[in-house]
Amino acid sequence: MTASEAVRFLNHATYGATTDDIKLVQRIGMDAWIYQQLKKKQCKHYNPATVADTLAERKHIRDEIWWTSAMVCDDQLRQRVALALSEILVVSDNNGTLARHQEGLESYYDTLITHSLGNFRDLLKAVSLHPTMGSYLNMRGNEKADPINNIRPDENYARELMQLFTIGLVNLNMDGTPVTTKTGATTPTYSQTDISELARVLTGWTWKGIDTKEKWDALKKRARPDIKQDYTSPMVALAVYHDAENKTLLGKNIQRNLSPEADLDRALDILFTHPNTAPFISKQLIQRLVKSNPSPAYVRRVASVFHNNGSGVRGDMAAVVRAILTDGEALSEQDKKGKLIEPMLRVTQLWRAFSATATDQYGHGYPFSLSTPDNSLGQSPLSAPSVFNFFEPAYAPALLKKAQLVAPEFQLVDSSLLPRLNNRLAVLALSGYVGSGRDPEGFSARLNYDTYLPLLAKPSELIEQFNTLLMSGRMDDSMRTVLLDFIKELQATKTPQRQIIAEVVHMIIISPQYAIQW
């Protein structure tokens, strides 16, 4: 592989290409690199020993864990796929309850990491029983119908489990295109009846430790403040609140008198084996990792691996991810169709490209972090405005909609965000200073430009190095000319050498060419 090809692959598969990883991929190849990643020890986010004085501090700690993990964890592939999954199987601290339980969000993210290269069926169950999801979409405390007391099963999780997490709204071909009637109309995957039936399946689940009806009722009435609400352990079922009658989901029978656990397994099996799940999830993973508009053939190839990994296993996420990353359409230099890089990834790619180190004002090691990323980047991990994420898979600006193309990440972009984002990138590239909510003196994420200082004597070579490292060879001749002229102007005014490097990096990372990854 060329260095540019290695960078392209790594920017799809990690939080950003590093010089060491570029050399490694060139030496051993993509398949061997992926195999090595599968063997890496999982880097955890949740630490039960973490103590914070305030909710704001706990959120800041959670953010620090995410940014630091993105920078230093060896299991980059697992971590990167977890980010993609967090934007499909969404929970968010924009929910007031979860904002007060950041430990639950850390634990949920660990669940995504654990299963990101496992089996999708296991992931579905783990997500469904995580108390953070249970609180976010109201499955926790969901009770069977009691008409006398005007109680009906909550349908929130049932709806989103089908609409967003498994089968989507319309029936799909294996290549992700809609199944249509003779008149060209799409056909729905489920009905309101299916939502109601699935909601009945999802009754009877609550916090770990709530093992009696008395505890359930007391918690519901807020009469037992001593009962711990555990946001990190899988939910448990209380059969007395579960609807054990016969149900029908998507035309499949779920027999009566099953336990809550067996009912849930039967429903998840129905959704997991539905023909839509493979193309629906495969296409979204391609969009999150590689490109916004994969061809139907690309989606079909990946969905086929989801359907069968070659050994008769359905939902093998490691095989699916490998298929996504090593497909010819992902690797082609001629394709030139990619995606807008998410703001968070623009930061991590910059930091990793230049081996950033985080220190406090005394030079001591410090976690990586950003102050107020929701404001300057428009996003922050597990802080989406709704269950529909920061951006929806089918979002398209008007011009692209006319061309029948989508560009999900552009849903973040407006005239307000662009100057804030560019200002933040300027700070990162030029001064390295980042404010910290816990340390009023701030700390520095220092980029290592030293390697490139000798190349200022050969500006063309410097630009080509940055073209490879930052843009995987995407820079065109007009951009090269602009950067060469810019370097000459800075040298003519005797600008310090390190500042010249920083200014050039800044120019690149705020450019439209850099912002579109392909």
Side-chain angles (χ1 to χ4, degrees):
M1 298 184 76
T2 66
S4 290
E5 289 169 339
V7 171
R8 182 180 298 110
F9 167 75
L10 288 166
N11 281 344
H12 294 160
T14 73
Y15 282 116
T18 66
T19 52
D20 286 343
D21 275 343
I22 294 167
K23 293 173 183 175
L24 178 62
V25 171
Q26 284 187 277
R27 181 168 59 84
I28 68 174
M30 295 179 295
D31 284 334
W33 184 88
I34 291 172
Y35 180 77
Q36 284 188 2
Q37 284 289 305
L38 296 177
K39 302 298 182 182
K40 297 286 187 182
K41 182 179 178 181
Q42 177 180 336
C43 200
K44 297 277 190 179
H45 286 225
Y46 172 58
N47 180 355
T50 301
V51 176
D53 294 332
T54 65
L55 295 178
E57 184 180 17
R58 182 68 197 229
K59 175 175 171 55
H60 185 76
I61 291 172
R62 180 172 71 79
D63 284 348
E64 282 185 344
I65 293 168
W66 189 90
W67 289 103
T68 303
S69 297
M71 286 298 298
V72 306
C73 285
D74 286 336
D75 61 331
Q76 279 286 302
L77 180 60
R78 191 180 291 115
Q79 299 283 332
R80 179 65 187 87
V81 176
L83 175 63
L85 290 170
S86 77
E87 296 178 342
I88 299 172
L89 309 169
V90 175
V91 299
S92 172
D93 63 5
N94 266 305
N95 171 287
T97 299
L98 295 186
R100 298 190 296 274
H101 292 280
Q102 298 290 330
E103 77 281 3
L105 293 157
E106 293 167 10
S107 170
Y108 181 80
Y109 205 87
D110 277 343
T111 297
L112 299 182
I113 297 170
T114 298
H115 296 285
S116 63
L117 299 176
N119 192 281
F120 188 74
R121 172 62 174 78
D122 296 333
L123 172 65
L124 270 184
K125 185 169 184 178
V127 163
S128 296
L129 293 184
H130 199 286
T132 297
M133 178 63 79
S135 294
Y136 188 59
L137 292 180
N138 309 119
M139 179 175 157
R140 184 202 55 76
N142 198 15
E143 298 182 14
K144 67 182 180 181
D146 180 357
I148 294 176
N149 291 305
N150 197 29
I151 293 173
R152 293 169 180 79
D154 190 286
E155 297 179 349
N156 201 9
Y157 187 60
R159 181 182 299 104
E160 308 308 358
L161 178 57
M162 291 191 288
Q163 178 183 348
L164 300 178
F165 301 170
T166 52
I167 63 177
L169 291 172
V170 300
N171 287 307
L172 302 172
N173 297 302
M174 186 64 92
D175 63 7
T177 59
V179 173
T180 56
T181 64
K182 292 181 179 179
T183 63
T186 59
T187 57
T189 50
Y190 60 87
S191 66
Q192 177 57 44
T193 299
D194 291 311
I195 296 173
S196 299
E197 293 289 274
L198 182 54
R200 293 173 56 211
V201 170
L202 302 174
T203 52
W205 294 91
T206 187
W207 308 109
K208 178 183 178 181
I210 307 301
D211 51 4
T212 66
K213 185 176 184 299
E214 181 273 328
K215 288 182 181 178
W216 179 301
D217 291 343
L219 187 65
K220 184 178 177 182
K221 297 174 183 177
R222 300 181 181 179
R224 288 284 302 276
D226 60 304
I227 295 177
K228 180 184 178 183
Q229 298 180 12
D230 186 344
Y231 279 84
T232 64
S233 299
M235 293 187 294
V236 298
L238 206 60
V240 67
Y241 286 107
H242 176 66
D243 185 334
E245 295 303 311
N246 188 72
K247 309 169 191 73
T248 302
L249 176 63
L250 302 172
K252 307 282 187 179
N253 182 60
I254 301 177
Q255 67 190 62
R256 66 194 307 257
N257 294 328
L258 292 179
S259 67
E261 294 84 359
D263 244 12
L264 176 64
D265 279 333
R266 173 65 176 145
L268 293 180
D269 284 342
I270 291 170
L271 295 173
F272 177 59
T273 57
H274 190 282
N276 259 36
T277 302
F280 184 73
I281 295 299
S282 296
K283 183 174 181 178
Q284 288 193 71
L285 286 172
I286 295 170
Q287 287 183 305
R288 298 283 57 77
L289 298 173
V290 176
K291 62 190 307 187
S292 298
N293 295 280
S295 70
Y298 186 8
V299 175
R300 178 185 290 276
R301 290 190 292 271
V302 175
S304 296
V305 173
F306 187 107
H307 179 72
N308 183 343
N309 70 351
S311 299
V313 177
R314 183 183 185 89
D316 180 349
M317 291 291 287
V320 168
V321 169
R322 180 190 177 280
I324 290 171
L325 297 175
T326 62
D327 191 89
E329 194 166 321
L331 303 173
S332 172
E333 293 184 23
Q334 285 72 44
D335 185 60
K336 297 185 179 180
K337 295 176 183 176
K339 63 194 289 287
L340 180 68
I341 307 172
E342 294 177 47
M344 290 192 302
L345 294 179
R346 291 177 74 168
V347 174
T348 60
Q349 287 181 10
L350 173 67
W351 280 352
R352 287 175 62 81
F354 291 103
S355 305
T357 53
T359 59
D360 62 17
Q361 65 270 34
Y362 306 110
H364 301 141
Y366 204 81
F368 286 88
S369 184
L370 284 178
S371 60
T372 62
D374 306 77
N375 179 58
S376 60
L377 305 182
Q379 62 173 168
S380 182
L382 297 187
S383 295
S386 76
V387 73
F388 295 99
N389 189 32
F390 301 100
F391 39 81
E392 299 180 38
Y395 176 80
L399 288 175
L400 291 180
K401 190 178 293 185
K402 291 179 181 178
Q404 296 185 316
L405 297 172
V406 301
E409 291 83 0
F410 272 93
Q411 194 167 1
L412 278 171
V413 178
D414 58 29
S415 58
S416 172
L417 175 66
L418 280 176
R420 298 199 308 271
L421 175 58
N422 286 342
N423 287 341
R424 172 50 63 91
L425 293 174
V427 168
L428 298 180
L430 297 174
S431 69
Y433 174 79
V434 182
S436 166
R438 289 202 300 156
D439 181 1
E441 298 298 322
F443 74 95
S444 299
R446 294 294 179 190
L447 306 183
N448 181 8
Y449 293 143
D450 294 346
T451 304
Y452 303 97
L453 293 175
L455 289 177
L456 280 173
K458 302 175 182 178
S460 294
E461 291 187 22
L462 175 67
I463 291 171
E464 280 311 305
Q465 288 265 5
F466 287 166
N467 180 26
T468 297
L469 182 63
L470 296 174
M471 298 182 63
S472 65
R474 304 192 304 272
M475 189 181 296
D476 66 17
D477 289 341
S478 63
M479 186 171 178
R480 285 187 182 89
T481 300
V482 169
L483 291 174
L484 279 171
D485 291 343
F486 183 56
I487 292 173
K488 290 176 183 177
E489 289 177 10
L490 293 175
Q491 289 175 328
T493 58
K494 301 189 183 305
T495 303
Q497 288 191 329
R498 194 176 189 283
Q499 184 178 342
I500 294 177
I501 298 290
E503 294 280 5
V504 172
V505 170
H506 173 225
M507 287 279 283
I508 292 173
I509 64 173
I510 66 170
S511 69
Q513 281 191 41
Y514 169 80
I516 304 299
Q517 166 188 290
W518 51 262

